[in-house]
Amino acid sequence: MDDIRFAVLGTGGIGRRTLEVSQHKDGLTAVAACDRNGVAIDHDGLDVDELLETTEGNIASGPQSSPDQLSGGEPRDSGLDGASDSTPATPTDDFASDGGAAAVEGGGGGVKQHGEQAGIVASEQGDPTETPIDDIIAESDAIDAVLLALPNLEHDFIPRVAERFAEADYEGVMVDVLKRSRVIGMLDNREEKLKESGITFVCGAGATPGFLTGAAALAAQSFVEVEEVEIWWGVGLKSGYEDNRGTVREDIAHLDGYDIETAREMSEDEIEALIDEHDGVLEFHDMEHADDVLLERAGICDAEDVHVGGVLDVRSDEKPTTTTVSVTGTTFDGETGTNTFELDDATSMEANVNGPALGYLKAGVRNNRAGHYGVFGPADLMPGF
Amino acid sequence: MDDIRFAVLGTGGIGRRTLEVSQHKDGLTAVAACDRNGVAIDHDGLDVDELLETTEGNIASGPQSSPDQLSGGEPRDSGLDGASDSTPATPTDDFASDGGAAAVEGGGGGVKQHGEQAGIVASEQGDPTETPIDDIIAESDAIDAVLLALPNLEHDFIPRVAERFAEADYEGVMVDVLKRSRVIGMLDNREEKLKESGITFVCGAGATPGFLTGAAALAAQSFVEVEEVEIWWGVGLKSGYEDNRGTVREDIAHLDGYDIETAREMSEDEIEALIDEHDGVLEFHDMEHADDVLLERAGICDAEDVHVGGVLDVRSDEKPTTTTVSVTGTTFDGETGTNTFELDDATSMEANVNGPALGYLKAGVRNNRAGHYGVFGPADLMPGF
């Protein structure tokens, strides 16, 4: 396969780690990255080391946002609907990094060129911009694939970003690492637009649902009928906590008594208090986590037969439980069995998100070049099970 | 994806079980099957139940062959080289079922229309023929995929069958379930011919290497460097023994002190004596089993870092050991870990061969329709890792 030139939207934990992992993979060249304040584009390939060094622990937008700033006024990305090209987005409208609560400057605060929370503009390669996504779209003719390492605290944020690329007639691959069932339907609703544009959209391509639904699709091959898929994950996130506050906030939305709206509106103090209350360890059951929808659409089993849960420990780097996928089914010869896939506890969440995300990105490019457009789940890209 | 019309060459254990499993899968229609004595073709779909019923325990060619009959005279498939279309093959030249030692009738014995070892001609749908493979080739315009459920006691038997389809300008998918490293190279040597014809050839698509190298390719996604892949399989084959004598003979070639030539020349009595000597349980280490070559070509690791072994018990249906794939590697953040994939002991060898074989067949068709021709390993068909 020819070289793949890719862009990363979002340089929080996931975006930066993806850039890092891509350096270990053949045939992948990072040519663009952006956060809410800036954009770095070099079609000959970014200097990833420099970019990572300058943005490490230095994410555009920080943990100090208040719920008012996040949710106040009109929706953060309201400018993205419809004719976004003719309505230049404001910084807060345009973007949210996954470095935690997004849009910290509320009504459009100033761009910091240096120091903490400057983000990508602290890099020599970064230029400040009020329209980072539009800036990437403007260069997208020379970009084969776009990884959306964005949080998705509004359900339709990622679908709407996809729509903007489609409106600009982008022909290429888009990959997200989302983990919320209902977003898949929102992408499906836009499938015609994506197809017309020539976009191959791979959704949920991170550790879970991506990696683990891929494993489930594979493990299901012993069976002619799958009765149940159990996905159970463990994440130790002590050293990665600051980089992944956005992800943690998304997880909180899956706790009993919380939903995406209440999680979005929590202040950082409230989140810290909640974590304290649980001694740093959050346990999740029956998460609405996209795995269900993605396995159903790949024909593996009914969504209702998929159960997802896990344990997150933000005060230790040790995994609090072993990540496993168990697929129970019936064989053609009438036996019932459970095949399992287990990740070593030593493999970090970051390793398990970014390797698969780039793998699915490559698979997306293969499909895109073969003319397969539309919305795909990771399990759809497995050998035609 | 549109309906896939497929043919099965060989109606021994693997061929028949594939036909059976295909009935549980959407979008697959069996339209042709053959063994060394006969062919059944119905472009509207075979009556698989009838075919299975009449050929169960009734394989064309039986266990009573002698080494002379197998190896005597000119090579069994000598007629397949070069212009096979103009040189009608004799029954013994044309075909070997996987129902045990092939070519039982030696110098071209008569076709039995009824009774034991009649094979496919015992079915209402079967017609006797001296050129079963050519008969299928003649109908191949209406066949999307061909599963080669043949034994491969001559290394180049399957590659040469592929060549015959290419010479007839077949455009479609061919899938085998072989398990021998050196055959991959023989297929690669013919890749240009296959590409010119429009053939997508998926090799080694059974349980191992197919299923388990797919799992290894997936499990490798946590790592930026894979240090070792260990594949360890267990097969309990008591009730499936008669149907799978060809496979057992192939396995014997992997035992210390044996090779493919000595295994091919063993009489059934000698095989029984060997099995007796081991109390029915054969243990294999460092098998030359194609998994190594297939993982290397997929870019997962070096062939020499792949180790394959296992235990076969022909006197019990219980697996003598649990089938596992262990992939050890280093993550981008410098940790070393081992991800594992484990098949339930209750899943039979047949279930684990035929589900994946049909899955890879579907993947092959997807690729073929996208214009991807040539030779592919199962792991090549995984998301572009």
Side-chain angles (χ1 to χ4, degrees):
Chain A
M1 183 149 55
D2 297 333
D3 200 46
I4 297 172
R5 301 155 300 173
F6 76 101
V8 174
L9 308 191
T11 53
I14 290 172
R16 276 206 315 288
R17 292 293 83 76
T18 302
L19 288 168
E20 188 175 349
V21 172
S22 74
Q23 297 185 288
H24 296 277
K25 303 263 178 185
D26 291 334
L28 284 174
T29 305
V31 295
C34 68
D35 62 18
R36 63 184 305 278
N37 291 338
V39 63
I41 298 176
D42 185 338
H43 293 296
D44 294 327
L46 293 171
D47 178 348
V48 171
D49 287 333
E50 192 271 349
L51 198 75
L52 293 177
E53 219 165 277
T54 49
T55 56
E56 198 72 52
N58 174 14
I59 297 163
S61 85
Q64 78 278 35
S65 68
S66 78
D68 290 345
Q69 286 165 330
L70 250 179
S71 59
E74 57 178 358
R76 186 169 81 245
D77 54 355
S78 61
L80 312 186
D81 258 348
S84 61
D85 290 338
S86 59
T87 314
T90 66
T92 40
D93 281 1
D94 195 59
F95 205 82
S97 88
D98 72 341
V104 283
E105 282 88 3
V111 173
K112 295 178 192 168
Q113 299 266 356
H114 306 286
E116 274 186 26
Q117 286 121 38
I120 214 161
V121 294
S123 155
E124 282 175 9
Q125 304 167 84
D127 293 311
T129 175
E130 297 200 342
T131 55
I133 292 178
D134 286 332
D135 291 5
I136 301 265
I137 289 174
E139 304 274 340
S140 62
D141 275 358
I143 295 172
D144 301 304
V146 178
L147 185 96
L148 296 100
L150 306 165
N152 194 39
L153 287 169
E154 273 112 18
H155 287 307
D156 59 354
F157 182 61
I158 282 175
R160 285 199 278 173
V161 170
E163 207 171 344
R164 283 167 72 184
F165 274 82
E167 279 160 4
D169 291 325
Y170 176 58
E171 194 178 334
V173 172
M174 304 188 76
V175 176
D176 73 34
V177 293
L178 65 81
K179 39 184 184 175
R180 194 135 2 102
S181 303
R182 74 188 77 171
V183 180
I184 315 293
M186 293 180 180
L187 285 164
D188 280 339
N189 289 341
R190 289 158 171 88
E191 185 160 39
E192 276 317 302
K193 270 195 186 179
L194 300 180
K195 280 185 176 172
E196 277 164 30
S197 177
I199 290 172
T200 304
F201 196 106
V202 186
C203 52
T208 167
F211 198 3
L212 304 187
T213 51
L218 188 81
Q221 295 317 301
S222 300
F223 308 118
V224 293
E225 197 173 330
V226 170
E227 287 161 23
E228 189 179 24
V229 175
E230 280 231 44
I231 291 175
W232 182 249
W233 53 263
V235 170
L237 201 61
K238 186 183 179 191
S239 54
Y241 181 44
E242 285 306 320
D243 266 3
N244 290 283
R245 284 175 175 268
T247 298
V248 173
R249 188 185 284 265
E250 282 207 62
D251 285 338
I252 285 171
H254 294 290
L255 282 179
D256 267 354
Y258 293 81
D259 61 22
I260 202 69
E261 285 73 28
T262 51
R264 194 174 60 205
E265 291 177 14
M266 288 171 81
S267 69
E268 288 297 314
D269 285 346
E270 286 171 323
I271 285 182
E272 289 310 310
L274 174 72
I275 288 171
D276 272 345
E277 220 175 273
H278 289 81
D279 293 325
V281 180
L282 304 178
E283 187 166 325
F284 305 89
H285 294 277
D286 289 320
M287 302 174 81
E288 182 229 326
H289 205 264
D291 312 71
D292 52 353
V293 178
L294 292 171
L295 285 170
E296 180 165 302
R297 67 183 288 144
I300 305 299
C301 60
D302 292 338
E304 66 187 22
D305 297 329
V306 180
H307 302 287
V308 181
V311 185
L312 171 69
D313 186 347
V314 301
R315 294 187 180 160
S316 167
D317 280 331
E318 298 286 306
K319 286 191 193 180
T321 186
T322 297
T323 299
T324 51
V325 179
S326 308
V327 178
T328 302
T330 313
T331 62
F332 83 98
D333 44 5
E335 298 285 341
T336 297
T338 301
N339 293 342
T340 52
F341 180 70
E342 195 174 296
L343 297 180
D344 193 294
D345 287 348
T347 63
S348 62
M349 185 267 275
E350 291 86 347
N352 293 322
V353 167
N354 296 306
L358 288 170
Y360 288 122
L361 182 148
K362 284 188 180 184
V365 171
R366 247 186 333 190
N367 274 273
N368 189 260
R369 289 177 180 168
H372 300 153
Y373 308 134
V375 179
F376 298 83
D380 295 330
L381 298 176
M382 300 292 286
F385 307 141
Chain B
M1 181 150 57
D2 297 332
D3 201 45
I4 296 172
R5 301 155 300 174
F6 76 102
V8 174
L9 308 191
T11 53
I14 290 172
R16 277 207 314 287
R17 292 293 81 78
T18 303
L19 289 168
E20 187 175 348
V21 173
S22 74
Q23 297 185 291
H24 296 278
K25 303 264 178 184
D26 291 334
L28 285 174
T29 305
V31 296
C34 68
D35 61 19
R36 62 185 304 279
N37 291 337
V39 63
I41 298 176
D42 185 339
H43 293 296
D44 295 327
L46 293 170
D47 179 347
V48 171
D49 286 334
E50 192 271 349
L51 198 75
L52 293 177
E53 219 165 277
T54 48
T55 56
E56 197 74 52
N58 175 12
I59 299 163
S61 82
Q64 78 278 33
S65 67
S66 78
D68 290 344
Q69 287 167 329
L70 250 178
S71 59
E74 58 179 358
R76 186 171 81 246
D77 52 356
S78 61
L80 311 187
D81 259 348
S84 62
D85 289 339
S86 59
T87 314
T90 66
T92 39
D93 281 2
D94 195 61
F95 204 82
S97 87
D98 72 341
V104 283
E105 282 89 2
V111 172
K112 295 178 190 166
Q113 298 265 359
H114 305 287
E116 276 186 25
Q117 286 120 38
I120 215 162
V121 295
S123 155
E124 282 174 10
Q125 303 166 83
D127 293 311
T129 176
E130 298 200 339
T131 56
I133 292 178
D134 286 331
D135 290 4
I136 301 265
I137 289 175
E139 304 275 340
S140 62
D141 275 358
I143 295 173
D144 301 304
V146 178
L147 185 96
L148 295 99
L150 305 166
N152 194 40
L153 287 169
E154 273 111 19
H155 288 307
D156 60 353
F157 182 62
I158 282 176
R160 286 199 278 171
V161 171
E163 208 170 342
R164 284 167 72 184
F165 274 82
E167 279 160 4
D169 291 324
Y170 175 57
E171 194 178 334
V173 172
M174 304 187 77
V175 176
D176 72 34
V177 293
L178 65 81
K179 39 184 184 175
R180 193 136 1 104
S181 303
R182 73 188 77 172
V183 180
I184 315 294
M186 293 180 181
L187 286 163
D188 280 340
N189 289 341
R190 288 157 171 88
E191 185 160 39
E192 277 317 303
K193 269 195 185 177
L194 300 180
K195 279 185 176 173
E196 277 164 29
S197 178
I199 290 173
T200 303
F201 197 106
V202 186
C203 52
T208 167
F211 197 5
L212 303 187
T213 52
L218 188 81
Q221 295 316 301
S222 300
F223 309 119
V224 293
E225 198 173 329
V226 171
E227 288 161 23
E228 188 178 25
V229 175
E230 280 231 42
I231 292 175
W232 182 250
W233 53 262
V235 171
L237 200 60
K238 186 182 179 191
S239 54
Y241 182 45
E242 285 305 321
D243 266 2
N244 289 282
R245 284 174 175 268
T247 299
V248 172
R249 188 184 285 266
E250 282 208 63
D251 285 338
I252 285 172
H254 295 290
L255 282 178
D256 267 355
Y258 292 82
D259 61 21
I260 202 70
E261 285 72 29
T262 52
R264 194 175 60 206
E265 291 177 14
M266 289 171 80
S267 69
E268 287 298 312
D269 286 346
E270 286 171 321
I271 285 182
E272 288 310 310
L274 175 72
I275 288 171
D276 272 345
E277 220 175 274
H278 289 81
D279 293 325
V281 181
L282 304 178
E283 188 165 326
F284 305 88
H285 294 277
D286 289 320
M287 303 174 80
E288 182 229 326
H289 206 264
D291 312 70
D292 52 354
V293 179
L294 293 171
L295 286 170
E296 180 165 302
R297 66 183 290 143
I300 304 302
C301 60
D302 292 338
E304 65 188 24
D305 297 329
V306 179
H307 303 287
V308 181
V311 186
L312 170 69
D313 186 345
V314 301
R315 295 189 180 160
S316 168
D317 280 331
E318 298 286 306
K319 286 190 193 182
T321 186
T322 297
T323 299
T324 52
V325 179
S326 307
V327 178
T328 301
T330 313
T331 63
F332 81 99
D333 44 4
E335 299 285 342
T336 296
T338 301
N339 293 342
T340 52
F341 179 69
E342 195 174 296
L343 298 180
D344 194 293
D345 287 347
T347 63
S348 62
M349 184 267 275
E350 291 86 348
N352 293 321
V353 167
N354 296 306
L358 288 170
Y360 288 121
L361 183 149
K362 283 189 181 184
V365 171
R366 250 194 320 198
N367 274 273
N368 189 262
R369 288 176 181 168
H372 300 153
Y373 309 132
V375 178
F376 298 82
D380 296 329
L381 299 177
M382 301 291 287
F385 307 143

